Amino acid sequence: MHTQPLIPYLLLLGDSALVHGQRLCEWCGRAPAIEEELALMNVGLDLVGQARNWLDYAAELLGDGRDADDLAMRRDERAYRNLLLVEQPNGDFAVTMTRQFFYDAWHHAVLQGLAGSSDARVAGIAAKALKEATYHLRRSSEWVQRLGGGTDESRRRMLAAITLLWRFTVELTAGSDDEVQLAEAGVAADPVAVADAWREQVAATFAAVELPVPQPASHFYLDGRKGLHTEHLGLLLAEMQFLPRAYPDATW
Amino acid sequence: MYAQLVETGVKHVKALEEMSPEERHFQEKIDAEIKIEAKNWMPEAYRQTLIRQISQHAHSEIVGMLPEGNWVTRAPSLKRKLQLMAKIQDEAGHGLYLYSAMETLGADRDDEIAKLHSGKAKYSSIFNYPTLSWADMGAVGWLVDGAAIVNQVVLQRTSYGPYARAMVRICKEESFHQRQGYEILLTMMRQGTQAQRDMVQDAINRLWWPALMMFGPSDEHSPNSAQSMAWKIKRQTNDELRQRFIDQTVPQLELLGCTAPDPHLKWNAERGHYDFGDIQWDEFYEVIKGNGPCNQERVGTRRQAIEGGAWVREAAVAYARKQQNKNAA
């Protein structure tokens, strides 16, 4: 019944988790401590796992013969629906952790809303993912505080990371019209509640180490929900999709 | 993953009557298969040998993440990506277990890692070979983890308790990785295209000999083995383990429908083992010395990770100190 608007919403959830997981894969062997190798891969694994669940459902609703792998590996950037935030390059550890924290605060609030979705499949996937996102948020908010309240250098890098990424947070606090409708039907998370929870989480985490909260980000010409991405996504997909594209008949 | 060529610093294995009372008591415990624990007296050379071996083993787990990290962003399906990520995560965990086991001997993790970065400490030679196709992810799981398991299964009975116990936990996960690796290859061979089957054979051609080298030099060129065996750090010789690996791997190779790049490989009914060709020991020693195909890249990446991440660790320490002061006030 909600099939039409639900598909782009599932893609928003699935693509965001997948692209973020892909970024975390790039850290493999390059983290500042072995504990962080483990944690970054752990979080990435959770996100790619969630992406698979959302894309499975999206593929079923699409019913055009494509499966989750086809959606992940054979869609071009104009068809990807992920948040612009998560496609941003890793940068230094402060950029990665700030990106993670902004996303986790959004993700956690969305999943909380979705755990009570009137769509049982959505509620089920969200309930499982919420446990993982709770851990992700705890970890990334702690790192924001460690870096923000650590040394002069870590604070300087933290402030630079916030400046770099803040413009993309507009997407975390503004849902599309479709999402508002889906939320009214009890299927999607209420974008207003998500935005409030996000701002509250950022304010509380930043306040603990006296990081300034910038003015709300303003409209940003691009829009991940519409498949209008930054220049980073095309390269990310070129790498991620290389094998299935180069060997279209292969079975892996 | 594990350690090859571990120096014991001992030229000659002492007989019981040459030993001091402490040494003798220690050796008798070893002979009686009683595990040595962190607080027990042990000869200094035993302690140092174990520090070298366990740190090499730990370094191998960490450096071993890099050849796989090379393909984790390019895994061809969500399932394969998830498997590889889980495996890499396990390897980081193995590294942590092993550094902890090593620290029970009084060594410091950061010091030992600094030795890796300066080229003083070794890691398994296999990780100096590049991963050039997706099939390498299968071949590494099957051959490289397979060789590591043959070694590590024996190390579950090694004489030092903390090391033996780490091996028990690690072996369970490694066996799982090996089966996954084999399954990657089997899928490509049985359900894949000709291009994929060629990819598998090419990966085996490139990784077969390096995997055999993982067992270390042949027994006649393994001067440290006698002491390691007497201390029961090692439980079987390099050549015994290599032979066992070949004997169990060739049937798996045949099941895949692939061949080994070794014209001398054939069943010897008289010995009850496979005969195999000569290993290129020059290549092995060059790789161990730092002149392999990826030595520079591997160590460079690890050095960059730790040096480039120093400010992160410093921030964590500074923040923890501030929190402590706040709580104390």
Side-chain angles (χ1 to χ4, degrees):
Chain A
M1 171 181 162
H2 305 292
T3 298
Q4 283 317 316
L6 186 52
I7 291 169
Y9 188 61
L10 293 172
L11 294 177
L12 165 73
L13 296 169
D15 292 350
S16 296
L18 178 59
V19 169
H20 207 175
Q22 176 75 2
R23 282 293 186 218
L24 295 180
C25 285
E26 295 170 9
W27 270 103
C28 177
R30 291 161 173 81
I34 301 166
E35 288 81 354
E36 292 308 308
E37 298 284 354
L38 201 68
L40 289 165
M41 206 48 73
N42 189 337
V43 172
L45 186 63
D46 288 344
L47 291 177
V48 176
Q50 293 174 20
R52 183 162 67 164
N53 292 335
W54 295 125
L55 295 180
D56 271 337
Y57 190 22
E60 278 177 38
L61 295 180
L62 279 164
D64 59 7
R66 288 185 291 173
D67 62 12
D69 277 320
D70 292 322
L71 293 180
M73 298 296 184
R74 295 168 202 261
R75 260 182 312 147
D76 289 337
E77 57 176 293
R78 288 288 281 114
Y80 256 75
R81 294 282 179 263
N82 61 281
L83 299 165
L84 299 175
L85 174 72
V86 301
E87 71 198 37
Q88 298 313 304
N90 288 333
D92 65 12
F93 196 69
V95 172
T96 290
M97 274 305 147
T98 304
R99 184 187 66 200
Q100 184 77 47
F101 170 65
F102 288 161
Y103 173 73
D104 291 344
W106 175 84
H107 193 205
H108 186 262
V110 168
L111 292 173
Q112 267 187 325
L114 291 182
S117 172
S118 61
D119 183 310
R121 178 84 172 266
V122 169
I125 297 171
K128 183 176 174 292
L130 181 59
K131 290 179 199 151
E132 296 168 344
T134 303
Y135 154 68
H136 303 169
L137 177 59
R138 198 182 71 201
R139 188 181 119 73
S140 61
S141 60
E142 283 174 3
W143 267 116
V144 164
Q145 295 183 345
R146 273 187 208 114
L147 298 179
T151 62
D152 289 347
E153 182 181 9
S154 70
R155 186 176 178 83
R156 178 180 62 71
R157 288 179 186 251
M158 196 61 217
L159 291 167
I162 295 167
T163 303
L164 180 73
L165 295 175
W166 188 258
R167 61 203 155 128
F168 301 110
T169 65
V170 67
E171 288 194 327
L172 309 176
T173 51
S176 66
D177 293 346
D178 277 355
E179 269 165 65
V180 173
Q181 275 183 18
L182 272 175
E184 280 166 3
V187 178
D190 174 12
V192 177
V194 169
D196 288 345
W198 187 85
R199 280 189 287 260
E200 219 169 283
Q201 177 70 56
V202 171
T205 301
F206 279 20
V209 288
E210 293 165 15
L211 283 168
V213 179
Q215 288 300 308
S218 53
H219 172 71
F220 192 73
Y221 313 93
L222 303 173
D223 186 345
R225 284 177 172 86
K226 291 186 180 146
L228 287 167
H229 292 277
T230 61
E231 290 177 345
H232 302 296
L233 186 64
L235 285 167
L236 180 145
L237 294 181
E239 179 173 347
M240 187 172 85
Q241 299 178 335
F242 149 68
L243 276 171
R245 299 271 198 182
Y247 300 91
D249 304 327
T251 305
W252 306 99
Chain B
M1 326 311 147
Y2 73 102
Q4 295 156 305
L5 259 187
V6 179
E7 302 279 334
T8 57
V10 175
K11 298 257 172 354
H12 139 91
V13 180
K14 283 186 193 169
L16 278 180
E17 48 275 16
E18 296 174 77
M19 292 178 182
S20 70
E22 277 172 320
E23 283 177 305
R24 192 172 172 144
H25 175 67
F26 171 84
Q27 189 62 48
E28 281 165 355
K29 267 174 87 173
I30 297 271
D31 293 343
E33 298 286 335
I34 297 168
K35 291 274 179 269
I36 307 301
E37 297 298 337
K39 288 180 176 163
N40 298 153
W41 185 89
M42 61 188 82
E44 192 50 26
Y46 176 84
R47 181 190 302 276
Q48 292 305 330
T49 300
L50 271 170
I51 290 171
R52 276 190 288 269
Q53 175 154 342
I54 302 174
S55 66
Q56 264 193 48
H57 197 154
H59 299 333
S60 300
E61 295 284 356
I62 300 304
V63 175
M65 292 165 55
L66 296 172
E68 288 170 339
N70 183 36
W71 280 92
V72 70
T73 56
R74 289 179 286 170
S77 70
L78 294 170
K79 174 179 145 186
R80 294 301 183 204
K81 192 187 271 305
L82 287 165
Q83 284 177 346
L84 196 56
M85 292 171 86
K87 183 180 177 194
I88 291 166
Q89 194 189 334
D90 285 347
E91 280 158 4
H94 297 172
L96 285 175
Y97 288 161
L98 287 161
Y99 284 123
S100 299
M102 180 200 77
E103 287 182 331
T104 64
L105 293 157
D108 177 78
R109 177 181 315 202
D110 294 338
D111 292 348
E112 297 306 314
I113 290 173
K115 287 182 198 163
L116 170 71
H117 296 171
S118 69
K120 273 187 215 140
K122 294 183 174 63
Y123 53 90
S124 181
S125 56
I126 190 76
F127 300 119
N128 293 310
Y129 290 84
T131 50
L132 301 177
S133 81
W134 172 255
D136 291 27
M137 293 303 98
V140 166
W142 170 49
L143 292 175
V144 175
D145 291 50
I149 291 164
V150 166
N151 209 281
Q152 291 175 168
V153 162
V154 195
L155 287 175
Q156 293 179 76
R157 294 187 297 116
T158 196
S159 59
Y160 187 59
Y163 192 26
R165 289 189 289 273
M167 279 305 108
V168 173
R169 297 185 64 170
I170 290 174
C171 276
K172 285 182 194 154
E173 294 180 344
E174 296 277 21
S175 305
F176 187 64
H177 299 161
Q178 192 206 10
R179 282 200 298 277
Q180 263 177 1
Y182 191 67
E183 196 258 334
I184 287 174
L185 299 183
L186 209 53
T187 303
M188 290 175 75
M189 289 304 295
R190 294 200 169 163
Q191 296 165 49
T193 61
Q194 187 58 44
Q196 287 182 289
R197 289 191 287 274
D198 292 346
M199 231 182 253
V200 172
Q201 183 63 58
D202 177 62
I204 293 169
N205 291 348
R206 285 182 287 106
L207 289 166
W208 179 263
W209 291 109
L212 297 187
M213 292 178 197
M214 287 177 68
F215 296 92
S218 61
D219 294 347
E220 58 193 304
H221 295 108
S222 201
N224 299 292
S225 287
Q227 184 61 72
S228 278
M229 300 276 286
W231 280 330
K232 297 191 179 173
I233 294 176
K234 274 178 108 140
R235 306 294 313 231
Q236 282 185 296
T237 73
N238 296 351
D239 287 335
E240 283 167 356
L241 292 169
R242 187 167 14 243
Q243 183 72 59
R244 178 179 305 165
F245 173 72
I246 290 170
D247 290 348
Q248 73 182 39
T249 302
V250 173
Q252 297 166 3
L253 181 72
E254 287 168 353
L255 189 69
L256 279 177
C258 293
T259 57
D262 179 359
H264 300 288
L265 184 72
K266 65 167 186 293
W267 179 249
N268 181 328
E270 213 170 293
R271 290 205 307 130
H273 291 293
Y274 282 92
D275 290 336
F276 56 98
D278 293 332
I279 290 173
Q280 297 297 308
W281 291 114
D282 291 352
E283 175 178 323
F284 171 76
Y285 288 109
E286 282 299 310
V287 173
I288 286 279
K289 263 197 300 188
N291 300 329
C294 296
N295 298 58
Q296 301 275 348
E297 287 84 351
R298 300 291 188 240
V299 175
T301 300
R302 291 306 306 153
R303 195 188 297 128
Q304 172 57 31
I306 296 306
E307 287 173 8
W311 68 273
V312 177
R313 298 190 303 279
E314 285 158 14
V317 170
Y319 182 73
R321 202 168 44 229
K322 285 182 198 173
Q323 292 301 106
Q324 247 170 10
N325 293 343
K326 213 188 269 179
N327 293 340

